[in-house]
Amino acid sequence: MGPTRKPNVCRRLSRRALGCFSRDAGVVQRTNLGILRALVCQESTKFKNVWTTHSRSPIAYERGRIYFDNYRRCVSSVASEPRKLYEMPKCSKSEKIEDALLWECPVGDILPNSSDYKSSLIALTAHNWLLRISATTGKILEKIYLAHYCKFRYLSWDTPQEVIAVKSAQNRGSAVARQAGIQQPVLLYLAVFRVLPFSLVGILEINKKIFGNVTDATLSHGILIVMYSSGLVRLYSFQTIAEQAKNGIQEMDCCSLESDWIYFHPDASGRIIHVGPNQVKVLKLTEIENNSFQHQISEDFVILADRENNKNENVLTVTASGRVVKKSFNLLDDDPEQETFKIVDYEDELDLLSVVAVTQIDAEGKAHLDFHCNEYGTLLKSIPLVESWDVTYSHEVYFDRDLVLHIEQKPNRVFSCYVYQMVCNTAEEEETINRSC
């Protein structure tokens, strides 16, 4: 007989969670995830690149599924090699899916159809249709037309698994209007829908006459987040935040070409994550003393990039006469030769913040994925990504239990997907499980 194949730790823990080991199954699941978190963060654990694939169309990832050909083909990422789950029929360019979110059945709700109890993909097509697609078969379950007066392009959760925000592309105006100096007052539109079934909450117009010289806007947890080129961020509520937010305007002290971004923490703690090129701020909303109707924003913790404090760089030049001239200039906070934060995400089951930091070394960029304690921000583990990171192209990195997945765009619209899986030292793995139990 050949050598016995070592069982996958993540699958083994998932199977244990289905057994009757406790009067409360949730206790077992939490214990299992605690074990897995300890295994992920221990020093000897490595993440190995197990397979890589390339595509001529964008690649996306949602909860163990990798999507190719604009979400038309779905592949499982759990196996050690790609395994196709389904493939939808070919479609025209106008019908292609541009963005999607995974919707999972709410616990305890009575739903109208049996198919509603299974996961669905909420998808936005190029010709402004909003679809709900079965995540297991690719069958279209529901569809609704959005509008004709703008091009909707992005999907995000306002309230996770309940309310979605559909964002349009920014309105740049026609080339003739721009040459004539005519500015379009409406920057973009935000359409808000409840899911299952789709029902419109409202469409919000982001107008510069109202919000000022705004550069972008998004919606999260009922809060409208408006961003400006100066690094200024304003938070609005549809109801009462104008009268009840103190420190509602957040400004990050940074000088960079790319703007910072801000959003509510996905862990439902009510905290806010504000990300800049060299720092990640986790902010919290607290009641003002002796006034329960007003709240203020304060820092919970800050994660700083590993870089030198001196932002000035000196350059020596020699003139024709032999005189040495010293010139000093300030480096940008997102200068590629300094460690810069590119992606911040949250692994909800392991309660870890994942942060991607990139440094440009000569002509090649090197990235590493750091795991931080979600409560205190402490660095627990750092994983180097073996492939180079070209800062001029777009990247996405996902951390899902024992899996790390890196999707990048290369020149000539080639997309690559790198899948890493956790590998442990057997002796240390058994010691960790025994200690956790």
Side-chain angles (χ1 to χ4, degrees):
M1 293 179 64
T4 304
R5 188 171 181 177
K6 182 182 172 184
N8 180 282
V9 174
C10 190
R11 293 182 193 170
R12 186 168 61 190
L13 293 177
S14 296
R15 285 198 295 268
R16 273 182 54 189
L18 300 176
C20 300
F21 304 113
S22 171
R23 299 171 74 180
D24 179 8
V27 171
V28 179
Q29 178 71 348
R30 287 192 295 271
T31 302
N32 290 342
L33 292 175
I35 295 171
L36 181 58
R37 174 179 163 139
L39 289 173
V40 166
C41 295
Q42 72 182 7
E43 187 176 352
S44 64
T45 298
K46 309 295 181 187
F47 279 78
K48 180 183 178 183
N49 181 208
V50 291
W51 59 271
T52 300
T53 189
H54 307 281
S55 171
R56 283 287 179 182
S57 60
I59 304 172
Y61 174 80
E62 287 282 357
R63 290 286 187 183
R65 296 177 176 91
I66 305 174
Y67 296 94
F68 298 90
D69 302 332
N70 299 104
Y71 294 90
R72 194 175 64 83
R73 185 162 58 94
C74 179
V75 171
S76 172
S77 67
V78 177
S80 57
E81 58 184 28
R83 181 172 61 86
K84 186 169 76 172
L85 298 178
Y86 67 80
E87 186 168 349
M88 297 172 67
K90 290 185 178 181
C91 61
S92 65
K93 189 175 180 180
S94 64
E95 294 175 308
K96 72 174 184 178
I97 295 173
E98 296 209 329
D99 201 5
L101 297 170
L102 185 68
W103 178 85
E104 297 176 296
C105 171
V107 178
D109 288 6
I110 299 176
L111 304 176
N113 302 307
S114 59
S115 61
D116 297 337
Y117 289 94
K118 297 181 179 179
S119 299
S120 303
L121 201 66
I122 298 174
L124 176 65
T125 69
H127 59 340
N128 276 3
W129 280 88
L130 191 63
L131 311 178
R132 188 165 65 87
I133 303 169
S134 169
T136 54
T137 65
K139 179 183 177 182
I140 296 177
L141 305 174
E142 191 178 355
K143 61 190 298 186
I144 187 172
Y145 184 68
L146 295 174
H148 66 278
Y149 51 82
C150 67
K151 164 70 173 168
F152 284 100
R153 185 165 287 172
Y154 311 102
L155 290 177
S156 62
W157 289 110
D158 175 24
T159 304
Q161 303 298 316
E162 294 181 16
V163 181
I164 58 171
V166 190
K167 187 163 95 171
S168 74
Q170 293 193 7
N171 185 7
R172 301 295 185 186
S174 66
V176 176
R178 289 198 301 269
Q179 288 176 359
I182 301 173
Q183 288 192 345
Q184 295 292 330
V186 178
L187 178 70
L188 56 87
Y189 294 88
L190 286 168
V192 184
F193 286 86
R194 295 191 182 278
V195 296
L196 202 66
F198 290 138
S199 59
L200 180 66
V201 177
I203 297 180
L204 180 64
E205 182 182 272
I206 305 300
N207 195 310
K208 293 182 180 180
K209 292 181 179 178
I210 298 172
F211 294 100
N213 195 22
V214 57
T215 58
D216 200 4
T218 189
L219 195 64
S220 177
H221 292 73
I223 303 295
L224 176 65
I225 303 171
V226 179
M227 286 153 274
Y228 300 82
S229 59
S230 61
L232 188 70
V233 176
R234 285 196 169 102
L235 307 179
Y236 297 89
S237 169
F238 294 127
Q239 298 179 356
T240 56
I241 200 168
E243 294 81 26
Q244 301 176 0
K246 187 178 177 181
N247 295 341
I249 297 176
Q250 289 293 307
E251 195 161 6
M252 182 162 284
D253 182 19
C254 66
C255 178
S256 61
L257 295 175
E258 296 184 9
S259 61
D260 51 323
W261 69 97
I262 189 168
Y263 57 96
F264 275 90
H265 199 308
D267 68 354
S269 63
R271 294 182 297 174
I272 297 168
I273 297 179
H274 192 182
V275 185
N278 61 345
Q279 57 183 314
V280 178
K281 290 184 178 181
V282 177
L283 311 169
K284 58 185 178 182
L285 285 166
T286 56
E287 290 184 358
I288 294 179
E289 191 175 355
N290 301 324
N291 190 344
S292 60
F293 293 99
Q294 282 198 320
H295 293 73
Q296 63 181 354
I297 297 176
S298 57
E299 283 186 4
D300 196 8
F301 61 81
V302 179
I303 299 170
L304 298 175
D306 183 14
R307 54 170 64 176
E308 296 179 2
N309 292 327
N310 185 14
K311 293 171 63 177
N312 296 325
E313 186 163 303
N314 297 320
V315 175
L316 299 178
T317 57
V318 181
T319 65
S321 62
R323 189 166 61 94
V324 177
V325 178
K326 182 179 179 181
K327 293 183 179 179
S328 178
F329 61 92
N330 291 331
L331 292 172
L332 291 173
D333 285 308
D334 60 350
D335 187 281
E337 293 185 359
Q338 303 181 96
E339 183 176 88
T340 304
F341 293 138
K342 294 295 184 181
I343 298 171
V344 177
D345 204 357
Y346 173 63
E347 215 297 339
D348 56 346
E349 294 184 298
L350 303 185
D351 196 30
L352 292 172
L353 276 177
S354 60
V355 180
V356 177
V358 179
T359 306
Q360 187 84 13
I361 303 171
D362 296 326
E364 190 176 74
K366 285 295 181 183
H368 56 90
L369 176 63
D370 295 341
F371 298 153
H372 292 263
C373 170
N374 184 45
E375 187 175 1
Y376 302 110
T378 311
L379 177 63
L380 302 176
K381 190 174 185 63
S382 185
I383 300 169
L385 300 182
V386 295
E387 61 276 7
S388 62
W389 185 292
D390 190 334
V391 296
T392 59
Y393 290 94
S394 63
H395 297 258
E396 295 175 68
V397 175
Y398 300 93
F399 169 47
D400 192 355
R401 287 193 174 189
D402 65 337
L403 182 85
V404 171
L405 188 137
H406 174 205
I407 298 172
E408 69 167 339
Q409 179 182 346
K410 291 184 173 181
N412 301 318
R413 282 191 62 82
V414 173
F415 298 86
S416 298
C417 177
Y418 308 88
V419 178
Y420 294 75
Q421 283 190 332
M422 183 180 79
V423 290
C424 292
N425 178 287
T426 307
E428 290 202 23
E429 177 186 330
E430 291 176 353
E431 182 183 345
T432 301
I433 292 176
N434 292 334
R435 189 167 57 246
S436 300
C437 292

